[in-house]
Amino acid sequence: MRLAVIDYDLCNPAKTNYACKRFCPVNRKGEECIRIEEKLVNGVKKQLPVIDEKLCIGCGICIKKCSQRAISIVNTPEALEETPIHRFGQNGFVLFRLPIPVMGVIGLLGPNGIGKTTALRILSGEIKPNLGCFDRDVEWKDIITMHRGNELQTYLEKLSKEEIKTVYKPQQVDKIKKVCKGVVKELLEDVDKSIIDRLELKNCLDRNIADLSGGELQRVAIAKAVSKKADIYYFDEPSSYLDVRQRMNVAKIIRELSQKSPVMVVEHDLATLDFLADRIHIFYGVPSVFGAVSKPYSTLNGINTFLSGYIREDNIRIREKTVFSSTVSENVIKKPVLTEFTDLKKRFKTFELNIKSDKIYKNEVLGIFGANALGKTTFARILAGETTADSGELDKKIKISYKPQYISSDFKGKVEEVVQSKQEFKQKYMEPLELTKLLEKNISDLSGGELQRVAIASCLAKNADVYLLDEPSAYLDVDQRLTVAKILKTRSENSSVLVIDHDLLFLSYLSDRAMVFTGIPGKIGKAECMSVKDGFNTFLKEVGVTFRKDVETNRPRANKLGSQKDTKQKESGEYYLGA
Ligand code: SF4
């Protein structure tokens, strides 16, 4: 099946003068493979190209001729010779198959733009599937017949009769501010006190919804969703904006909810997903062009299949294989010292930070983690010279390239003005981080994930002794996180890399050593460097979660709470990679 997909947000005939139509060999022979039609884009009527997929021979000339990079022509894999579940209009994105809602927690895993949110919107009744027919109304009986014989049949029958009550926690929690006004306690008046306590929302109750941070909005949205009665619950990226401890708390709450009703969760943090899910569907395809849903796997096999990059049933390679190191540093690594720091102390009005003296080694990746509001960013700012410690210092000045946690999009200019176009830079960062397509975009128009990738590339391209990145995985999908982890590991071959983050698998993949922040958020923060094993052990003990080593991939694998392994590891005090 040949798919021709046009991104009408990018399509700009004023710049291209319909080069696609002028150069299409089928058009040149006199047939209308590409024709011009009136289309409504973002409320504006425009004369835009439409590609006839039956006439298209897949030569790819239009892709090359379109300076706006708006066209994709893709042949779907043989395994997808089937009716799609939904298509967003002619030359629009296509989704094949749906995940199956059953009891327990079903995890949806895959990159952005591949149809995960579309699948949730269909299953929650927000979108009626059209089976790829966008010129006529499709009847529910046809949609149900297509799924005869599996659990989706009964589900879709009930959905068509509006007999299923669903609760949907959306991805973009910041939009809550637009629809909900007033103070938090009014919004949460029907929410159980224990949920408010567990989600650490007590101190937010008297605040205005408009003043909440991303992490607070996320927890408010989760509290509201789990408190509603429903036949099925959908959570779209519940760990975004949350610190590592909050992620584990949310995962525990969602697991408890799944004892009563099925729960489906889209999640990019593999450690959280591992802990959370009972079954996993992998989404694969070409972002913004088509997406397909794999069969359900056990959580173990789902994550391992994703990391292996190969879906055996559909005989398709979906990504490059990711390999985890077979050894975990138990002792502090011995590498040349770049700099040493004495005990560092910094006091604010209501907060005090104490960092234990240590060293930063050349060619190491130091993974820095702990709850929010314990001083991680303050430490980064001391190293970067943006603020000074009240007592203590570094033994020498080091050149630091710093990517802050919050990235400003105020820059008035295009991406190409920020990133270098040197050949070496292009190969090392621009291509793997998929920045080539963004070069002509204004910085102010970039999405959170695009801005993050530009900021990472721009930080790594500078000459420095230390590259310090604060939350580089935020806004990135699972593929992009693993790509960034690989890039950072390569960068550490010539310099030191310090990474503050909340994604445990991302950190365990790239860290040579750990720096763990503990204390009381907002009051007192303490930090100490240690081996990766000791660092994760200290942290996981605090949140009451255990990980063992997966024999197939070497990745840390979460034990289910209360399982034999979990109990045994807790008894022996080996919370991270216990035997
Ligand atoms: Fe025409 Fe298809 Fe070739 Fe594009 S890929 S130029 S639409 S034949």
Side-chain angles (χ1 to χ4, degrees):
M1 184 176 183
R2 179 163 300 127
L3 295 174
V5 174
I6 303 178
D7 185 338
Y8 286 113
D9 285 328
L10 294 177
C11 181
N12 186 350
K15 285 196 174 169
T16 62
N17 192 19
Y18 303 106
C20 54
K21 181 172 184 272
R22 286 186 287 116
F23 287 97
C24 173
V26 183
N27 277 56
R28 295 181 96 154
K29 276 193 187 155
E31 286 187 280
E32 270 221 310
C33 179
I34 303 185
R35 61 182 187 279
I36 307 303
E37 271 184 16
E38 186 173 89
K39 287 206 156 262
L40 198 64
V41 180
N42 300 325
V44 183
K45 281 183 188 167
K46 291 180 179 175
Q47 294 292 320
L48 295 171
V50 171
I51 301 177
D52 185 330
E53 287 166 349
K54 290 200 184 82
L55 291 177
C56 173
I57 55 169
C59 67
I61 289 175
C62 56
I63 302 173
K64 291 193 196 107
K65 292 292 172 188
C66 176
S67 59
Q68 302 307 105
R69 298 187 173 93
I71 301 175
S72 305
I73 309 281
V74 169
N75 290 331
T76 57
E78 263 177 45
L80 295 180
E81 294 293 331
E82 58 188 86
T83 309
I85 184 74
H86 194 72
R87 185 161 200 186
F88 288 96
Q90 188 168 14
N91 300 140
F93 175 82
V94 192
L95 178 65
F96 293 89
R97 309 173 193 161
L98 283 173
I100 303 169
V102 288
M103 277 306 282
V105 180
I106 316 298
L108 308 186
L109 174 60
N112 283 337
I114 210 90
K116 298 186 301 300
T117 301
T118 302
L120 289 197
R121 289 176 69 201
I122 291 173
L123 290 172
S124 64
E126 206 183 297
I127 297 177
K128 183 182 173 192
N130 62 13
L131 307 186
C133 305
F134 33 83
D135 45 6
R136 65 177 168 87
D137 192 31
V138 170
E139 292 194 33
W140 269 111
K141 73 171 173 31
D142 296 329
I143 302 165
I144 294 162
T145 309
M146 197 175 135
H147 296 92
R148 202 164 35 203
N150 71 31
E151 292 98 326
L152 271 166
Q153 181 182 357
T154 323
Y155 183 87
L156 292 169
E157 273 166 2
K158 286 188 183 169
L159 192 69
S160 68
K161 293 180 202 153
E162 297 180 9
E163 287 173 2
I164 286 197
K165 191 164 170 6
T166 61
V167 165
Y168 179 39
K169 198 291 292 168
Q171 178 190 21
Q172 289 166 313
V173 286
D174 29 349
K175 287 195 176 155
I176 295 173
K177 288 186 183 180
K178 287 193 185 141
V179 286
C180 301
K181 304 285 171 209
V183 286
V184 175
K185 68 177 165 207
E186 289 164 9
L187 184 65
L188 298 185
E189 63 184 359
D190 52 350
V191 174
D192 203 89
K193 193 180 159 296
S194 67
I195 295 290
I196 291 176
D197 287 345
R198 289 173 71 188
L199 290 172
E200 299 167 4
L201 286 168
K202 229 157 116 189
N203 296 335
C204 300
L205 291 176
D206 291 319
R207 289 174 50 203
N208 275 320
I209 294 163
D211 298 333
L212 297 184
S213 69
E216 288 162 343
L217 281 170
Q218 183 70 270
R219 284 176 284 137
V220 164
I222 291 167
K224 196 74 192 162
V226 299
S227 304
K228 286 184 183 159
K229 278 216 154 24
D231 301 308
I232 183 160
Y233 295 81
Y234 295 104
F235 291 87
D236 203 343
E237 298 190 30
S239 76
S240 306
Y241 303 109
L242 299 187
D243 74 31
V244 65
R245 196 172 41 100
Q246 292 163 342
R247 285 175 196 206
M248 289 299 153
N249 284 339
V250 163
K252 285 181 195 168
I253 291 172
I254 293 178
R255 280 207 63 78
E256 285 166 24
L257 183 70
S258 74
Q259 305 300 310
K260 292 182 279 173
S261 308
V263 180
M264 211 171 256
V265 183
V266 173
E267 185 53 63
H268 293 302
D269 178 331
L270 286 177
T272 303
L273 188 66
D274 193 15
F275 178 68
L276 185 59
D278 295 300
R279 301 218 283 181
I280 281 180
H281 285 278
I282 298 170
F283 279 62
Y284 66 88
V286 178
S288 307
V289 178
F290 82 92
V293 184
S294 77
K295 68 164 198 166
Y297 292 99
S298 67
T299 305
L300 166 65
N301 288 336
I303 294 181
N304 287 0
T305 300
F306 177 79
L307 292 173
S308 79
Y310 178 64
I311 306 243
R312 195 179 301 276
E313 299 73 29
D314 290 345
N315 187 24
I316 183 165
R317 176 144 293 283
I318 57 168
R319 55 187 298 282
E320 255 183 55
K321 186 176 179 170
T322 303
V323 182
F324 279 78
S325 164
S326 56
T327 54
V328 184
S329 71
E330 299 209 18
N331 301 309
V332 172
I333 52 166
K334 300 272 184 295
K335 288 186 174 176
V337 174
L338 175 72
T339 184
E340 279 185 54
F341 49 89
T342 57
D343 285 348
L344 302 170
K345 211 180 247 295
K346 176 89 182 165
R347 267 194 210 92
F348 296 90
K349 226 173 172 185
T350 55
F351 177 71
E352 187 181 303
L353 172 64
N354 293 292
I355 312 261
K356 200 166 169 225
S357 63
D358 217 298
K359 304 172 181 71
I360 294 174
Y361 297 93
K362 285 180 184 165
N363 314 120
E364 74 164 340
V365 179
L366 180 65
I368 302 173
F369 53 92
N372 276 343
L374 287 176
K376 295 189 298 300
T377 299
T378 303
F379 172 64
R381 293 186 63 231
I382 292 172
L383 285 186
E386 285 188 7
T387 185
T388 48
D390 297 333
S391 66
E393 57 189 3
L394 270 70
D395 70 340
K396 64 175 170 227
K397 220 173 156 39
I398 45 173
K399 203 169 167 195
I400 292 194
S401 178
Y402 177 45
K403 185 207 79 68
Q405 180 183 15
Y406 296 104
I407 313 157
S408 166
S409 59
D410 295 343
F411 181 78
K412 302 259 176 304
K414 296 194 168 175
V415 172
E416 60 193 356
E417 293 167 48
V418 178
V419 295
Q420 299 174 15
S421 53
K422 275 193 255 162
Q423 194 55 31
E424 187 204 20
F425 178 81
K426 229 170 152 178
Q427 272 172 3
K428 271 191 182 161
Y429 310 121
M430 259 170 40
E431 280 158 18
L433 291 171
E434 294 168 35
L435 297 180
T436 326
K437 258 195 165 192
L438 305 179
L439 288 177
E440 284 199 22
K441 272 195 167 185
N442 288 321
I443 296 279
S444 55
D445 294 336
L446 297 182
S447 69
E450 291 169 340
L451 201 58
Q452 182 71 272
R453 285 179 283 140
V454 169
I456 291 169
S458 142
C459 167
L460 295 179
K462 290 177 190 139
N463 269 330
D465 303 309
V466 172
Y467 294 88
L468 174 53
L469 297 99
D470 200 344
E471 293 200 30
S473 80
Y475 303 107
L476 300 187
D477 69 31
V478 58
D479 262 338
Q480 292 163 342
R481 286 175 195 208
L482 291 167
T483 303
V484 168
K486 273 186 202 163
I487 291 174
L488 295 179
K489 257 176 127 43
T490 311
R491 199 70 182 98
S492 73
E493 287 164 12
N494 313 314
S495 46
S496 310
V497 176
L498 272 56
V499 183
I500 300 172
D501 212 90
H502 294 299
D503 183 326
L504 289 181
L505 215 78
F506 173 77
L507 283 170
S508 70
Y509 177 80
L510 57 82
S511 304
D512 298 306
R513 227 165 31 116
M515 183 176 202
V516 185
F517 278 70
T518 51
I520 305 166
K523 286 196 177 148
I524 185 153
K526 293 181 210 160
E528 197 178 330
C529 294
M530 53 189 87
S531 72
V532 172
K533 182 156 186 172
D534 289 346
F536 277 106
N537 220 28
T538 306
F539 168 73
L540 291 171
K541 202 168 189 172
E542 218 180 277
V543 288
V545 174
T546 56
F547 279 79
R548 69 178 185 273
K549 187 167 160 179
D550 175 56
V551 282
E552 195 182 322
T553 60
N554 294 324
R555 70 177 167 92
R557 185 181 147 199
N559 294 316
K560 292 284 178 263
L561 276 185
S563 65
Q564 257 189 15
K565 276 267 176 201
D566 181 58
T567 314
K568 201 174 151 211
Q569 281 185 227
K570 279 177 181 164
E571 277 167 8
S572 65
E574 286 195 288
Y575 282 70
Y576 187 64
L577 305 189

Coordinates of all heavy atoms in Angstrom, one line a residue, residues 2 4 20-21 23-27 33-34 50-52 55-63 71 73, ligand 1:
R2 N 0.6 2.1 -1.0 CA 1.4 3.4 -1.0 C 0.7 4.5 -0.4 O -0.5 4.8 -0.7 CB 1.7 3.7 -2.5 CG 2.6 5.0 -2.6 CD 3.2 5.2 -3.9 NE 4.1 4.1 -4.2 CZ 4.0 3.3 -5.3 NH1 3.1 3.6 -6.2 NH2 4.9 2.3 -5.5
A4 N 0.6 8.6 0.4 CA 1.1 9.9 0.1 C 0.5 10.9 1.2 O -0.7 11.0 1.3 CB 0.7 10.4 -1.3
C20 N 5.8 20.4 -6.9 CA 5.4 19.0 -6.8 C 4.6 18.6 -8.1 O 4.9 17.7 -8.8 CB 4.7 18.7 -5.6 SG 3.2 19.7 -5.3
K21 N 3.6 19.5 -8.4 CA 2.7 19.2 -9.5 C 3.5 19.4 -10.9 O 3.3 18.6 -11.8 CB 1.5 20.2 -9.5 CG 0.5 20.0 -10.5 CD -0.7 20.8 -10.3 CE -1.8 20.6 -11.3 NZ -1.7 21.4 -12.5
F23 N 6.6 19.0 -11.5 CA 7.7 18.0 -11.8 C 7.2 16.6 -11.7 O 8.0 15.7 -12.1 CB 8.9 18.2 -10.9 CG 9.7 19.5 -11.2 CD1 9.4 20.7 -10.5 CD2 10.6 19.4 -12.2 CE1 10.2 21.8 -10.9 CE2 11.3 20.6 -12.5 CZ 11.1 21.8 -11.9
C24 N 6.0 16.3 -11.3 CA 5.5 14.9 -11.1 C 5.5 14.3 -12.5 O 4.8 14.8 -13.4 CB 4.1 14.9 -10.5 SG 3.4 13.2 -10.6
P25 N 6.2 13.2 -12.8 CA 6.3 12.5 -14.1 C 4.9 12.1 -14.6 O 4.6 12.0 -15.8 CB 7.2 11.4 -13.9 CG 7.3 11.1 -12.5 CD 7.0 12.4 -11.8
V26 N 4.0 11.7 -13.6 CA 2.7 11.2 -14.1 C 1.9 12.4 -14.6 O 1.2 12.3 -15.6 CB 2.0 10.5 -12.9 CG1 0.6 10.0 -13.3 CG2 2.8 9.4 -12.3
N27 N 2.0 13.5 -13.9 CA 1.3 14.8 -14.4 C 1.9 15.2 -15.8 O 1.1 15.6 -16.6 CB 1.5 15.9 -13.4 CG 0.5 15.8 -12.3 OD1 0.4 14.8 -11.6 ND2 -0.3 16.9 -12.1
C33 N -2.1 13.1 -11.3 CA -1.6 12.4 -10.1 C -1.6 13.5 -8.9 O -2.1 13.2 -7.8 CB -0.2 11.9 -10.3 SG 0.5 11.1 -8.8
I34 N -1.1 14.7 -9.2 CA -1.2 15.8 -8.3 C -2.1 16.8 -8.9 O -1.9 17.3 -10.0 CB 0.2 16.4 -8.0 CG1 1.1 15.3 -7.5 CG2 0.0 17.5 -7.0 CD1 2.5 15.8 -7.0
V50 N -3.2 18.0 -3.9 CA -3.7 16.7 -3.4 C -3.1 15.6 -4.3 O -3.0 15.7 -5.5 CB -5.3 16.7 -3.6 CG1 -5.8 15.3 -3.2 CG2 -5.9 17.7 -2.7
I51 N -2.6 14.5 -3.7 CA -1.9 13.4 -4.4 C -2.9 12.2 -4.5 O -3.4 11.8 -3.5 CB -0.6 13.0 -3.8 CG1 0.3 14.3 -3.7 CG2 0.1 11.9 -4.6 CD1 1.6 14.0 -3.0
D52 N -3.1 11.7 -5.7 CA -3.9 10.5 -5.9 C -3.0 9.3 -5.7 O -2.1 9.0 -6.6 CB -4.4 10.6 -7.4 CG -5.4 9.4 -7.6 OD1 -5.2 8.3 -7.0 OD2 -6.3 9.6 -8.4
L55 N -2.6 6.7 -8.6 CA -1.8 7.1 -9.8 C -0.3 7.2 -9.5 O 0.5 7.1 -10.4 CB -2.4 8.4 -10.4 CG -3.8 8.3 -11.1 CD1 -4.2 9.7 -11.6 CD2 -3.8 7.3 -12.2
C56 N 0.0 7.5 -8.2 CA 1.4 7.8 -7.8 C 2.2 6.5 -8.1 O 1.8 5.4 -7.7 CB 1.4 8.2 -6.3 SG 3.0 8.3 -5.7
I57 N 3.4 6.7 -8.7 CA 4.3 5.6 -8.9 C 5.4 5.5 -7.9 O 6.3 4.7 -8.0 CB 4.9 5.6 -10.4 CG1 5.6 7.0 -10.6 CG2 3.8 5.4 -11.4 CD1 6.4 7.1 -11.8
G58 N 5.4 6.4 -6.9 CA 6.4 6.4 -5.8 C 7.8 6.8 -6.2 O 8.7 6.4 -5.6
C59 N 7.9 7.6 -7.3 CA 9.3 8.0 -7.7 C 10.0 8.9 -6.7 O 11.2 9.0 -6.7 CB 9.2 8.7 -9.1 SG 8.4 10.3 -9.0
G60 N 9.2 9.6 -5.9 CA 9.8 10.5 -4.9 C 10.3 11.9 -5.4 O 10.9 12.6 -4.6
I61 N 10.0 12.2 -6.6 CA 10.5 13.5 -7.2 C 9.8 14.7 -6.4 O 10.5 15.6 -6.1 CB 10.2 13.5 -8.7 CG1 11.1 12.6 -9.4 CG2 10.3 15.0 -9.3 CD1 10.9 12.4 -10.9
C62 N 8.5 14.5 -6.1 CA 7.8 15.6 -5.4 C 8.5 15.9 -4.1 O 8.5 17.1 -3.6 CB 6.3 15.3 -5.3 SG 6.0 13.8 -4.5
I63 N 9.0 14.8 -3.4 CA 9.6 15.0 -2.1 C 10.8 15.9 -2.2 O 11.0 16.9 -1.5 CB 10.0 13.7 -1.5 CG1 8.8 12.7 -1.4 CG2 10.6 13.8 -0.1 CD1 9.1 11.3 -1.0
I71 N 6.0 16.8 1.9 CA 5.4 15.6 1.3 C 6.2 14.4 1.8 O 7.4 14.4 1.9 CB 5.5 15.7 -0.2 CG1 4.7 16.9 -0.7 CG2 4.9 14.4 -0.8 CD1 4.7 17.1 -2.2
I73 N 6.1 10.2 0.8 CA 5.6 9.1 0.1 C 6.2 7.8 0.7 O 7.4 7.6 0.7 CB 5.9 9.1 -1.4 CG1 5.6 10.5 -2.0 CG2 5.3 8.0 -2.2 CD1 4.2 10.8 -2.4
Ligands
SF4_1 FE1 4.1 12.2 -8.6 FE2 4.1 10.2 -6.8 FE3 6.4 10.8 -8.0 FE4 5.3 12.5 -6.1 S1 6.1 10.4 -5.8 S2 6.2 13.0 -8.1 S3 3.2 12.2 -6.6 S4 4.5 10.0 -9.0

